[in-house]
Amino acid sequence: MDEIKCPVLTEKTIRLLEKNQYTFEVNYKSTKTQIKFWIEKFFNVKVKGMNSHIPPEKKKKIGPIIGHSRRYKRMIITLQSGYSIPLFSNK
């Protein structure tokens, strides 16, 4: 389960929840096939479609050294109707 890091909750991703689409930050080097396998196995759902998004790097400057922010990948996962993923526990 190291491939999937955390769910992303922004204004856009909350709107996508109405369309049965969930957004997760995933490992940069993982493939769509690996992510689909882990989502279906861990949450017991059926994946209908997947979209990946790699945002551009941002420059960071610390003194005279110029570096880049850490790379990450986001996956927007569409589930088949009748399935859902609980993002929050009811405790």
Side-chain angles (χ1 to χ4, degrees):
M1 191 63 184
D2 293 334
E3 306 295 324
I4 302 168
K5 294 182 180 177
C6 62
V8 178
L9 294 174
T10 61
E11 291 180 14
K12 181 180 179 180
T13 59
I14 291 172
R15 283 195 314 264
L16 289 176
L17 290 175
E18 297 173 1
K19 299 178 184 177
N20 210 17
Q21 294 180 333
Y22 296 86
T23 306
F24 292 96
E25 276 192 19
V26 297
N27 189 0
Y28 181 73
K29 296 189 179 196
S30 49
T31 62
K32 287 184 179 182
T33 309
Q34 292 171 339
I35 298 300
K36 180 179 178 182
F37 171 77
W38 282 111
I39 292 288
E40 288 182 344
K41 185 174 182 179
F42 187 72
F43 294 112
N44 293 325
V45 295
K46 295 289 182 181
V47 175
K48 183 178 179 182
M50 300 177 72
N51 294 325
S52 63
H53 176 252
I54 302 173
E57 288 183 339
K58 293 182 180 177
K59 290 184 181 178
K60 287 190 175 185
K61 184 174 181 181
I62 302 173
I65 300 170
I66 297 175
H68 296 281
S69 62
R70 200 179 281 177
R71 296 295 297 223
Y72 62 95
K73 184 190 287 189
R74 285 189 179 165
M75 298 291 286
I76 300 174
I77 299 164
T78 306
L79 300 180
Q80 292 181 0
S81 60
Y83 291 99
S84 66
I85 295 175
L87 295 178
F88 304 105
S89 62
N90 293 333
K91 293 182 181 179

